[in-house]
Amino acid sequence: MFSLTYIVYDLEMTVRRKKGQVAEIIEIGAAKVRVTDGVPGIVDSFQAFVKPVVVPQLSEDTVSFTGIRQEDVNGAETLGQVVRRWVEWMGPEEYFLCAWGPDDHRQLVQECREQKIATDWILNHNNLQKMLSKTFKLEKHQQMGLKNALEMLEIPFVGSHHRALDDAMNTAQILVKLFDKLQFRRNKLSDETKLESEIVYKTDHYENLPFASLAKLMPNKPSSP
């Protein structure tokens, strides 16, 4: 019987405090949601640490913010190796990739391009944060954080904030709860006229702004109205 698969993922990155510092993916977490007989449910999960290659040593800010330790990434695989396992885990059936907000999508595309990792698997990408805002008719530029969205939907947060698998699993709970109200779109990376870079992700005095150099990698195309 045909069933659709939704891969809800989350990335943890090294923390940037200043311009010029590089943000690198250090953890990937994902939940696999499958719809059977019209009913969505979480059926599997994926988690892997990623070895940073530009700045191998984690900063104190990164360790404090994510809880990821130096020993976690020292023995980890590189991004290319982790992506290969992740894509195998996703399986051969058609899938929708889903993330909370636009930031993880940008970082994933940027690092894959910089490290010459294939990006043809980054397709059918949907921003669940934007979809929730549309569903509840929030103001256009109002971006709700994951924690607030869970509280609004009365879904208890399970696990630790800023850990990839926990954030992915909690985001997947939002997808499951709102599934009948959401409209998922099929797309390919080349279909994107631009990757928006308006949203700044801040928590306390920490900041993740890894997207400034992405504009140089993207073809010059006119913006959508």
Side-chain angles (χ1 to χ4, degrees):
M1 181 178 59
F2 178 74
S3 65
L4 284 174
T5 300
Y6 299 80
I7 306 297
V8 183
Y9 73 96
D10 183 81
L11 309 177
E12 293 305 322
M13 295 163 259
T14 52
V15 172
R16 281 189 61 173
R17 299 276 315 263
K18 301 174 184 175
K19 280 191 174 181
Q21 290 181 326
V22 175
E24 295 180 81
I25 297 169
I26 53 174
E27 186 183 22
I28 297 175
K32 183 181 290 183
V33 176
R34 190 163 282 139
V35 181
T36 306
D37 294 332
V39 179
I42 299 172
V43 297
D44 201 2
S45 63
F46 175 91
Q47 186 275 339
F49 293 113
V50 179
K51 181 192 290 289
V53 293
V54 179
V55 182
Q57 188 70 31
L58 300 183
S59 68
E60 290 182 10
D61 289 336
T62 295
V63 174
S64 173
F65 184 64
T66 65
I68 296 171
R69 302 161 302 168
Q70 189 65 45
E71 51 264 39
D72 293 325
V73 298
N74 281 346
E77 296 175 308
T78 62
L79 181 62
Q81 293 168 320
V82 172
V83 163
R84 192 176 305 115
R85 286 201 295 115
W86 185 24
V87 173
E88 287 175 1
W89 169 83
M90 289 182 200
E93 64 269 11
E94 183 183 22
Y95 56 81
F96 290 87
L97 273 176
C98 303
W100 188 260
D103 295 355
D104 287 359
H105 184 208
R106 283 193 213 102
Q107 182 72 15
L108 188 60
V109 171
Q110 177 181 337
E111 285 200 49
C112 284
R113 285 177 171 166
E114 288 175 347
Q115 298 187 36
K116 304 293 188 288
I117 300 166
T119 57
D120 56 344
W121 59 276
I122 305 177
L123 76 172
N124 301 335
H125 200 285
N126 288 259
N127 176 349
L128 290 171
Q129 181 190 58
K130 188 174 182 180
M131 294 162 76
L132 178 141
S133 295
K134 186 176 180 181
T135 298
F136 290 96
K137 296 181 171 57
L138 302 179
E139 291 184 21
K140 189 173 182 181
H141 295 293
Q142 182 181 348
Q143 301 294 336
M144 183 174 287
L146 177 60
K147 182 172 179 287
N148 289 339
L150 290 164
E151 288 175 358
M152 182 184 77
L153 297 171
E154 298 181 339
I155 299 172
F157 186 95
V158 178
S160 302
H161 288 287
H162 308 303
R163 286 306 302 270
L165 180 56
D166 292 341
D167 282 349
M169 293 291 281
N170 285 288
T171 304
Q173 294 287 0
I174 292 176
L175 184 152
V176 168
K177 183 153 188 174
L178 295 180
F179 182 76
D180 291 337
K181 297 180 174 65
L182 302 177
Q183 291 185 323
F184 295 88
R185 64 191 185 100
R186 289 176 170 84
N187 54 65
K188 293 182 181 177
L189 196 56
S190 58
D191 294 341
E192 301 292 331
T193 56
K194 62 178 180 177
L195 290 176
E196 301 285 351
S197 57
E198 299 162 1
I199 295 178
V200 176
Y201 171 63
K202 290 185 178 178
T203 303
D204 299 326
H205 61 285
Y206 298 118
E207 187 174 280
N208 268 337
L209 278 177
F211 317 116
S213 62
L214 184 59
K216 300 173 187 173
L217 301 175
M218 298 299 292
N220 291 323
K221 293 184 180 180
S223 299
S224 301

